[in-house]
């Protein structure tokens, strides 16, 4: 069975990572337009860098939860038959034990050089505009996909969705495209679809099954069901 799992902000929220957009439309007190667009970076690069420097530091204070760990267990059994794609820019899946994670919105612990197009691991600050370790030019920015930019790995994601037997969405709002359209693409090719979310998402009606509650409770139960079907 080939499974595609999409995870969103909800799975990381249970570990203490703030969700991207609060009910008032702000992200930790900031307008999205001020911190998550190419235009914002061009207008006030230092402010944007500091915002992501703070987010990078905050990762040290959070830990993977049972949902992350359960998905890593599933990967151990399914191997290449599990494709895990996340909208999250944190490293909680990796710290939970997952080896192969497609970060469609980039990674907070990487920097992208606009000069040489290189991507490098990064745990320090970027607000002082350090030189790129590869080319020496001070053009590093967070390796994060901002609004108006194309998500990473879309060709591979689409290929996996077209071949999937089961598509599972965990902790997503169903409001942000292109990820919100994954369920319809998978279903159109015959895949079963399952939503695991704290509450019904905007796209719940597209799923053949939906279970609502905490990801840390729902995901381990679902993973156990899959592993039992494999004889584990």
């Amino acid at each position: 069975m080939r499974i595609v799992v999409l995870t969103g902000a909800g799975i990381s929220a249970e570990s203490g990572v703030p969700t991207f957009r609060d009910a008032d439309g702000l992200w930790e007190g900031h307008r999205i337009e001020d911190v998550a667009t190419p235009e914002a970076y061009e207008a006030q690069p230092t402010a944007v860098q500091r915002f992501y420097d703070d987010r990078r530091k905050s990762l040290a204070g959070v830990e993977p939860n049972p949902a992350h760990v359960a998905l890593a267990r599933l990967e151990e059994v399914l191997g290449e038959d599990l494709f895990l794609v996340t909208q999250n820019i944190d490293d909680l899946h990796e710290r939970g034990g997952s080896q192969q994670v497609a970060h469609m919105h980039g990674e907070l612990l990487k920097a992208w050089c606009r000069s040489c197009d290189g991507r490098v691991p990064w745990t320090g600050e970027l607000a002082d505009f350090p030189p790129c370790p590869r080319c020496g030019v001070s053009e590093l920015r967070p390796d994060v996909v901002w609004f108006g930019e194309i998500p990473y790995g879309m060709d591979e994601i689409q290929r996996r969705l077209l071949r999937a037997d089961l598509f599972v969405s965990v902790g997503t709002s169903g409001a942000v495209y292109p990820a919100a359209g994954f369920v319809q693409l998978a279903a159109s090719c015959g895949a079963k679809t399952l939503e695991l979310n704290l509450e019904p998402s905007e796209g719940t009606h597209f799923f053949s099954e939906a279970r609502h509650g905490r990801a840390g409770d729902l995901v381990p139960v679902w993973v156990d069901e899959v592993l039992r079907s494999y004889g584990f």
Side-chain angles (χ1 to χ4, degrees), residues 66-212:
H68 296 105
V69 176
L71 289 172
R73 283 198 296 123
L74 189 61
E75 181 188 77
E76 290 179 3
V77 176
L78 267 61
E80 289 296 316
D81 284 337
L82 174 68
F83 183 69
L84 176 58
V85 55
T86 185
Q87 296 172 280
N88 301 329
I89 60 175
D90 58 62
D91 63 338
L92 291 177
H93 279 301
E94 286 84 354
R95 284 198 272 152
S98 294
Q99 301 295 312
Q100 301 294 327
V101 184
H103 284 268
M104 63 180 294
H105 290 162
E107 299 179 63
L108 194 54
L109 295 181
K110 286 186 178 179
W112 169 49
C113 179
R114 301 198 302 173
S115 177
C116 70
D117 197 32
R119 287 174 168 81
V120 295
W122 201 269
T123 57
E125 297 188 352
L126 289 172
D128 56 352
F129 297 94
C132 171
R134 297 180 56 172
C135 71
V137 179
S138 296
E139 281 289 353
L140 293 174
R141 54 157 269 192
D143 190 18
V144 172
V145 176
W146 289 327
F147 286 95
E149 297 179 329
I150 299 174
Y152 296 155
M154 287 304 299
D155 288 344
E156 176 66 6
I157 293 170
Q158 183 178 56
R159 186 178 73 84
R160 294 287 192 142
L161 289 168
L162 293 173
R163 297 173 59 244
D165 299 303
L166 174 64
F167 170 73
V168 183
S169 175
V170 181
T172 66
S173 66
V176 179
Y177 284 83
F182 290 175
V183 59
Q184 297 173 72
L185 178 58
S188 71
C189 295
K192 294 181 179 179
T193 56
L194 170 65
E195 175 177 86
L196 303 176
N197 203 41
L198 187 61
E199 57 190 19
S201 73
E202 292 188 20
T204 296
H205 57 285
F206 291 122
F207 289 85
S208 52
E209 181 183 355
R211 306 178 189 179
H212 298 128

Side-chain angles (χ1 to χ4, degrees), residues 22-52:
D22 296 327
D24 58 5
L26 300 181
W27 189 19
E28 298 187 44
H30 296 266
R31 294 194 316 148
I32 301 302
E33 296 83 358
D34 294 337
V35 294
T37 65
E39 293 78 14
Y41 185 70
E42 294 299 331
Q44 46 182 4
T46 301
V48 172
Q49 294 280 33
R50 285 176 178 161
F51 177 83
Y52 287 93

Side-chain angles (χ1 to χ4, degrees), residues 219-230:
V219 176
V221 170
W222 169 71
V223 167
D224 285 342
E225 292 173 3
V226 175
L227 293 181
R228 281 197 297 271
S229 73
Y230 277 82

